[in-house]
Amino acid sequence: MTGRLNSAQPYALGLFRIIVGLLFACHGAASLFGVLGGAMGGGTVPAGTWPGWYAAVIQLVGGTLVALGLGTRAAALIASGSMAYAYFKVHQPEALWPLQNGGEPSAMFCWAMLLLVFTGSGALGLDRLFTARGASETERPASSASAGEREPAAA
């Protein structure tokens, strides 16, 4: 059973990344464009306002990159940091526990994104396409010597 679970781990991680990234991007889209109910029950965050507008841009761009699996570790690090900031600056002064201060989404997104920093994109990510293509291009010249070259004989 452990073997089957271990072989499915990259795919489970990939699905986790896609869902977390999509949900994170939806928060940004709601704040920036007023879709899906808008920011805090309706409307949009005014452009350029600190920290709400910048957080929404990080959510939309970072969530999209994480969902696609493109630059996952860097995008997740920035997203995790923005959620840590949101939790400690906005929610934690209201009460100690996330359940009391309304900071559960910030705390959960912070830790989920931090996990992706350490695990990477898993399966189904665009990162894998670029790393596989880059690895195959760098391995070709090294693996085949040209016809006129010979490797030096061992002494």
Side-chain angles (χ1 to χ4, degrees):
M1 172 115 167
T2 302
R4 285 186 184 167
L5 291 175
N6 286 343
S7 66
Q9 185 176 3
Y11 300 101
L13 183 59
L15 289 173
F16 174 80
R17 173 190 46 79
I18 291 167
I19 297 301
V20 168
L22 181 62
L23 292 173
F24 199 63
C26 285
H27 276 274
S31 297
L32 292 174
F33 307 121
V35 298
L36 304 169
M40 294 178 269
T44 61
V45 176
T49 58
W50 178 258
W53 185 80
Y54 294 95
V57 170
I58 290 171
Q59 289 168 357
L60 181 62
V61 173
T64 301
L65 290 173
V66 166
L68 293 173
L70 188 61
T72 302
R73 290 176 190 246
L77 180 65
I78 293 168
S80 178
S82 74
M83 289 296 97
Y85 178 87
Y87 181 77
F88 287 110
K89 190 71 175 174
V90 176
H91 299 285
Q92 199 275 328
E94 300 296 320
L96 178 62
W97 294 101
L99 186 62
Q100 295 173 316
N101 63 29
E104 286 176 290
S106 297
M108 288 297 294
F109 276 124
C110 177
W111 285 105
M113 292 295 185
L114 189 63
L115 177 66
L116 291 171
V117 171
F118 289 98
T119 61
S121 62
L124 312 172
L126 294 179
D127 284 346
R128 287 183 157 243
L129 292 176
F130 293 122
T131 57
R133 183 179 299 151
S136 66
E137 289 175 3
T138 58
E139 288 174 6
R140 266 188 240 145
S143 64
S144 62
S146 65
E149 296 178 16
R150 289 195 183 282
E151 294 201 20

